[in-house]
Amino acid sequence: MKQRGMAWLLAALQLAPAAAGAVDVRGVRIVGEHLPPSSMMEGNTVVGRETVKVREIMARAGIAYSIELLPWKRAYAQALRETDTCIFSTTRTQEREARFRWIGPLNEAEWVLYGLAERHLTLRTLDDARGLVIGTVLGDARDDYLRQRGLSVAPVTQEWLNPQKLLLGRIDLWAVGMAVGSKPFLGKEWEGKVVPLLTFNRVQTYLACNKLLPEAQAAAMQRAAAAMRRDGSMAREQVR
């Protein structure tokens, strides 16, 4: 009987730390999409201009995290559904405002319609794009924005498919989001063949976190983002 009592006590002592430490220590799961130069893979590591900013936010906040790239619609759905998940770089719109905790901003971006140089298209307003097919990403803010205004969109699951479709003549225009002043096509095979025709919106992008992410974590991340804006870290154009 005494041995059984001792065994029970040892088992209780082993379980006690687990019960007392029931707080989830897995950290925050961060998801994004393959969108060079902002986020991309280098070997087994996620790198890119916006990735650097997200990593620094988490380091300054002292929060453990993992980071991976997924198709945008899947990543967005996970951030909405999973309490420990954030997604970058996410355009902050009125429709999305109440869905997330917003950390940032990470950057200012322009939405630009691109077309083939050889077609010599001229766009002065979005109305000039009516009747043309615009390549977008399914579930993306640009896709929603253009749909709401009655324009014809042809969404894909991943951004890299759109330049191929444009070069093959399967779409007329490509709706691109880019950091203000950046040159996203530098060194690409389509550089010079694809030209900007119209900047149709200016937005800010954020790290968007599930609404149930603990307040303490969200506050620490926002303090880190604010400090980075003050010290100029958010303005860096790093790739790693």
Side-chain angles (χ1 to χ4, degrees):
M1 179 71 80
K2 186 175 181 180
Q3 288 180 336
R4 287 199 298 271
M6 184 61 72
W8 179 90
L9 178 60
L10 288 172
L13 289 172
Q14 289 173 341
L15 289 172
V23 176
D24 188 350
V25 294
R26 293 176 300 170
V28 175
R29 183 185 185 195
I30 297 173
V31 293
E33 67 174 328
H34 176 76
L35 191 65
S38 294
S39 48
M40 55 205 172
M41 297 300 298
E42 188 174 274
N44 295 321
T45 304
V46 182
V47 300
R49 184 188 59 232
E50 302 307 302
T51 309
V52 170
K53 297 176 184 180
V54 171
R55 289 189 184 279
E56 188 162 346
I57 286 172
M58 303 308 290
R60 291 193 188 199
I63 298 171
Y65 70 96
S66 64
I67 187 166
E68 64 181 306
L69 302 183
L70 303 169
W72 178 259
K73 190 172 184 181
R74 180 179 163 193
Y76 188 84
Q78 287 190 0
L80 283 175
R81 183 178 65 246
E82 298 175 6
T83 60
D84 60 349
T85 303
C86 304
I87 181 172
F88 78 108
S89 295
T90 310
T91 303
R92 190 171 185 171
T93 65
Q94 184 177 353
E95 293 77 17
R96 292 174 171 176
E97 183 65 31
R99 298 178 183 175
F100 296 102
R101 291 185 184 274
W102 298 93
I103 310 299
L106 303 178
N107 215 338
E108 285 74 40
E110 296 176 328
W111 292 354
V112 183
L113 290 179
Y114 275 77
L116 290 178
E118 64 185 26
R119 291 188 61 179
H120 303 290
L121 294 172
T122 299
L123 302 178
R124 284 177 285 273
T125 69
L126 270 182
D127 280 338
D128 294 331
R130 296 192 185 281
L132 300 176
V133 178
I134 304 171
T136 60
V137 175
L138 188 64
D140 183 84
R142 296 183 297 281
D143 182 71
D144 292 340
Y145 184 92
L146 294 169
R147 285 176 189 272
Q148 289 170 8
R149 285 156 180 78
L151 287 117
S152 178
V153 297
V156 294
T157 56
Q158 299 189 62
E159 188 75 89
W160 62 269
L161 294 169
N162 276 319
Q164 296 183 15
K165 291 178 67 177
L166 185 63
L167 292 169
L168 290 171
R170 294 178 181 172
I171 54 176
D172 301 301
L173 302 168
W174 173 22
V176 180
M178 63 184 67
V180 174
S182 68
K183 297 179 179 179
F185 304 152
L186 193 63
K188 300 292 185 183
E189 62 270 23
W190 61 80
E191 184 183 3
K193 298 179 182 178
V194 177
V195 295
L197 301 175
L198 176 70
T199 297
F200 64 97
N201 202 10
R202 294 177 189 272
V203 298
Q204 290 184 317
T205 59
Y206 286 73
L207 180 62
C209 297
N210 186 278
K211 288 284 288 183
L212 296 180
L213 186 78
E215 176 64 34
Q217 286 187 330
M221 291 159 65
Q222 183 55 43
R223 286 195 298 271
M228 289 170 64
R229 289 187 71 81
R230 288 194 300 270
D231 67 24
S233 300
M234 284 296 186
R236 292 186 211 150
E237 292 295 329
Q238 300 180 24
V239 175
R240 290 181 164 279

